[in-house]
Amino acid sequence: MSGFVGSQVSNDERLANLEQVLFRPMGADGVRARTGLYERVLDGLTDFISTFRPEAAEVYRFPPVMSRSDIEKSGYLQSFPNLVGFMCCLAGSPAEIRRTANRIYEGEPWTEGLGVADLVLTPASCYPVYPIAAAKGAAPDQGWIFDVGCECFRREPSRDIDRMQSFRQREYVCIGSPETVCRFRDDWIVKAQSMAEQLQLPYSVDVANDPFFGAGGQFLAAGQREQKLKFELLIPILSHDKPTACMSFNYHKSHFGEAWDIHLARGGPAHTGCVGFGMDRMTIAMFAHHGLDLSAWPQPVLTLLGL
Ligand code: AMP
Ligand code: ZN
């Protein structure tokens, strides 16, 4: 496994250098302004991932918000209620809104003037695609492929450079028969390792689980691991001992097919799976391993990213 660039200084110093060059603080943990240098690499990775897009894929880029009723219907609130960001806005008559706004500037308590809106912050870039797929009618056995992406929000504040509340995801999603979706997921586990090799990043692949909420969540997580429904491609960012999940490979079985009433043309609920790319984590990993000076990066990597 290759070392980190900057490993001649302490690990804290190495991470502080990354933070200082790549980001500016925005006054909240896990929410950062990204520099132009950082965005150049993220854009290069985005285009690199696009070169793997199957020809038949439908492409969607989603806003950072989605319908609250859609997220309720998807079951997300049962599994991860602690992670969801609900939108709320000043509510009431114009006079009430004015009164609440005045209270803000008079230093009075004012948040009871907020009303919950019909929106949530999108928690993962594949969630908005299932209602779009459901509207297409019955799914063919050979499946549909979607290329989706958005800025995601998860309420997991942290000072760690690799754990953000607001971060970008890109995904390829497959909806079809169980065989099609399993093949899609297995193929992607192989393809993703070749991507990491081309990017000259050290990696490992391991079975994983989602952070299901509460005591019951432990059972769900254990079941997910036992059935090998989730794998992750991990790259060291914080340390070699605790590598960071930068991509995930998920098989949801019929969960979304049933939630959204997506059927196979041959009968039975459609199965779904997705490969998720953590764009911010992949970008940070590139700088952690190749350094903060692009001109010192390996030429094949620069060429691959169009830099
Ligand atoms: P998941 O839907 O949890 O499998 O997430 C897909 C990918 O998004 C992960 O493999 C990460 O690379 C990325 N990701 C998830 N949570 C965060 C976070 N809090 N900060 C940055 N990236 C994240
Ligand atoms: Zn997904």
Side-chain angles (χ1 to χ4, degrees):
M1 185 186 279
S2 83
F4 293 117
V5 168
S7 49
Q8 66 282 5
V9 297
S10 75
N11 204 42
D12 285 351
E13 238 175 302
R14 179 185 68 80
L15 292 168
N17 284 342
L18 284 170
E19 183 87 51
Q20 201 181 351
V21 176
L22 303 180
F23 301 115
R24 294 291 176 273
M26 287 182 65
D29 288 343
V31 182
R32 295 176 173 87
R34 298 106 174 196
T35 59
L37 171 69
Y38 180 87
E39 286 300 298
R40 280 179 67 198
V41 170
L42 190 136
D43 287 347
L45 286 170
T46 300
D47 292 344
F48 176 54
I49 291 169
S50 296
T51 63
F52 292 83
R53 178 195 296 146
E55 221 170 276
E58 274 181 49
V59 182
Y60 297 103
R61 294 293 173 265
F62 300 119
V65 292
M66 63 179 284
S67 136
R68 175 157 57 89
S69 66
D70 280 359
I71 208 76
E72 288 166 7
K73 192 164 166 176
S74 72
Y76 195 86
L77 295 176
Q78 265 143 11
S79 300
F80 316 106
N82 53 322
L83 297 182
V84 183
F86 295 90
M87 282 276 285
C88 52
C89 303
L90 293 187
S93 65
E96 284 167 327
I97 289 175
R98 170 54 57 209
R99 222 174 299 131
T100 306
N102 287 344
R103 263 192 240 135
I104 297 172
Y105 291 103
E106 287 153 8
E108 300 284 321
W110 61 274
T111 48
E112 66 273 18
L114 289 169
V116 76
D118 55 354
L119 296 172
V120 295
L121 298 172
T122 312
S125 60
C126 66
Y127 277 79
V129 91
Y130 303 110
I132 293 175
K136 285 166 69 84
D141 264 11
Q142 74 276 18
W144 294 312
I145 304 281
F146 297 91
D147 167 347
V148 297
C150 71
E151 179 97 29
C152 299
F153 176 88
R154 293 183 191 171
R155 185 67 172 159
E156 40 185 5
S158 164
R159 298 218 166 143
D160 288 340
I161 197 168
D162 64 342
R163 184 162 300 282
M164 306 171 187
Q165 296 197 73
S166 191
F167 57 93
R168 280 163 287 182
Q169 268 188 0
R170 175 80 178 276
E171 290 189 46
Y172 289 118
V173 184
C174 178
I175 303 181
S177 69
E179 308 81 62
T180 302
V181 174
C182 287
R183 198 174 337 111
F184 165 89
R185 207 262 307 243
D186 294 347
D187 286 352
W188 261 108
I189 294 176
V190 175
K191 257 183 269 185
Q193 295 179 66
S194 131
M195 287 168 94
E197 270 154 35
Q198 291 179 66
L199 294 168
Q200 300 191 23
L201 293 169
Y203 67 89
S204 54
V205 173
D206 207 352
V207 69
N209 63 267
D210 287 309
F212 293 104
F213 180 70
Q218 289 178 5
F219 283 105
L220 293 173
Q224 192 184 25
R225 274 179 175 273
E226 213 174 322
Q227 296 177 69
K228 295 188 164 44
L229 298 180
K230 188 178 188 84
F231 286 87
E232 287 175 333
L233 185 141
L234 305 126
I235 303 172
I237 291 178
L238 297 183
S239 72
H240 287 295
D241 300 342
K242 275 191 156 186
T244 300
C246 290
M247 305 179 199
S248 72
F249 314 91
N250 306 287
Y251 177 32
H252 317 121
K253 302 200 344 195
S254 61
H255 174 84
F256 291 108
E258 284 178 43
W260 286 101
D261 221 5
I262 310 172
H263 286 280
L264 292 169
R266 74 174 187 205
H271 282 224
T272 69
C274 64
V275 46
F277 303 94
M279 298 308 303
D280 289 284
R281 285 184 175 174
M282 287 177 68
T283 305
I284 298 167
M286 293 298 288
F287 285 104
H289 292 282
H290 299 310
L292 289 164
D293 174 9
L294 289 191
S295 68
W297 284 23
Q299 189 54 50
V301 172
L302 290 172
T303 306
L304 203 66
L305 300 184
L307 294 169

